[in-house]
Amino acid sequence: MAALRSSGTWGSALTADEFAAIRGVGFEPVGQVFGAAVFDAGASAYGCPGAPGPPGDESPSVPATEVSGGGGAQSFAPLVQAMNQARHTAVDRMITECAQLGGHGVVAVHVSRGVFLGGTQFTLVGTAIRAPGAAHAQSAPFASDLSGQDFAKLITAGWVPVGLALGISIGSRHDDLATTRQARRISGNAEVAGWAELVNQSRHDARRQLESDVSRLGAEGVVIAAMPMRVRQRDCPAVVGRRDHIVEASFIGTAVAGFRPGGWQADSPPLAIMSLDPRRRQAARIRL
């Protein structure tokens, strides 16, 4: 990082439009930054959330839906905890590189999450930026997954990024007899109550985790970039012939705070940017 800072050159992951937008609100890139971490959840076992009842009774003796935020014995709480630890470590490493380059924050962060040799991995790549002439920030640089254009809009409106905010929840549900009946084709257009409960509880739990992350960052709110949800199923480890459904719900965004009523005012008129691609210019003329 020291060598890059003294070289007088910088790299970025920005498009030309993003670069122009960032420059338009008084910032400049200082270099591309990176952070990664791989964590293992240990030897945690994730059992069936719905323990079977007495012989001949297909209904579970405990609620059949469990989410990681509830911390139940059969929940995926240890796995989500490992995910959060990996994410915090990766963000801290990226922010450290930004600070070493003299940046005030990181924009256009691309978050990659997946599995690495049985562990969970987080990788983040972004572009460190700074405001020329501004004093070096006393606090840690911010991180944002906003594009360069969206970052410029945020600054113009009087808001500033505070940090990356994330909420993750993994919910699981045992497919009991009632759920199996409702999911059959001959049941017609009817809600599968168990599956709806699983999706709703997982989404609500992920939102609670997101709100907790925003509070931790000391921000006023969050702008959401993505709300992915992944669904899979597995053979039930407790009841032969039954299946469990697993839902992983996530909220990814940038926590923000207001810094100036009325927004930021540029010293010069906004810069008009026209694409050099003739097909895009032709399309713009048609729309006009």
Side-chain angles (χ1 to χ4, degrees), residues 224-247:
I224 299 297
M227 296 184 292
M229 187 177 74
R230 293 189 291 182
V231 181
R232 62 184 176 89
Q233 62 182 10
R234 66 173 180 184
D235 292 332
C236 177
V239 182
V240 177
R242 295 295 185 193
R243 291 182 176 179
D244 294 337
H245 278 75
I246 315 295
V247 167

Side-chain angles (χ1 to χ4, degrees), residues 2 9 22 32 75 133 154-155 209 212 224 226 237 282 285 287:
T9 61
I22 289 171
Q32 187 180 112
S75 75
L154 196 71
I155 296 296
Q209 305 309 318
S212 176
I224 299 297
Q282 178 66 22
R285 285 194 293 270
R287 286 195 297 269

Side-chain angles (χ1 to χ4, degrees), residues 44-125:
S44 301
Y46 314 110
C48 174
D57 183 4
E58 289 286 350
S59 62
S61 60
V62 298
T65 299
E66 201 165 61
V67 294
S68 55
Q74 306 296 341
S75 75
F76 286 80
L79 177 59
V80 172
Q81 182 180 9
M83 288 180 175
N84 283 322
Q85 290 177 323
R87 186 248 307 193
H88 290 311
T89 302
V91 170
D92 288 345
R93 288 171 178 166
M94 181 181 68
I95 290 301
T96 298
E97 288 195 355
C98 174
Q100 291 173 343
L101 290 174
H104 294 117
V106 186
V107 299
V109 175
H110 175 71
V111 181
S112 174
R113 179 164 57 93
V115 177
F116 185 89
L117 297 179
T120 180
Q121 64 89 15
F122 266 83
T123 302
L124 301 100
V125 180

Side-chain angles (χ1 to χ4, degrees), residues 2-30:
L4 287 174
R5 187 175 181 180
S6 62
S7 68
T9 61
W10 50 266
S12 84
L14 302 173
T15 65
D17 288 349
E18 286 181 308
F19 171 70
I22 289 171
R23 291 282 296 174
V25 291
F27 286 81
E28 64 182 15
V30 293

Side-chain angles (χ1 to χ4, degrees), residues 245-271:
H245 278 75
I246 315 295
V247 167
E248 181 181 325
S250 304
F251 288 85
I252 304 171
T254 295
V256 298
F259 74 96
R260 181 181 299 178
W264 178 87
Q265 300 296 325
D267 296 330
S268 57
L271 176 65

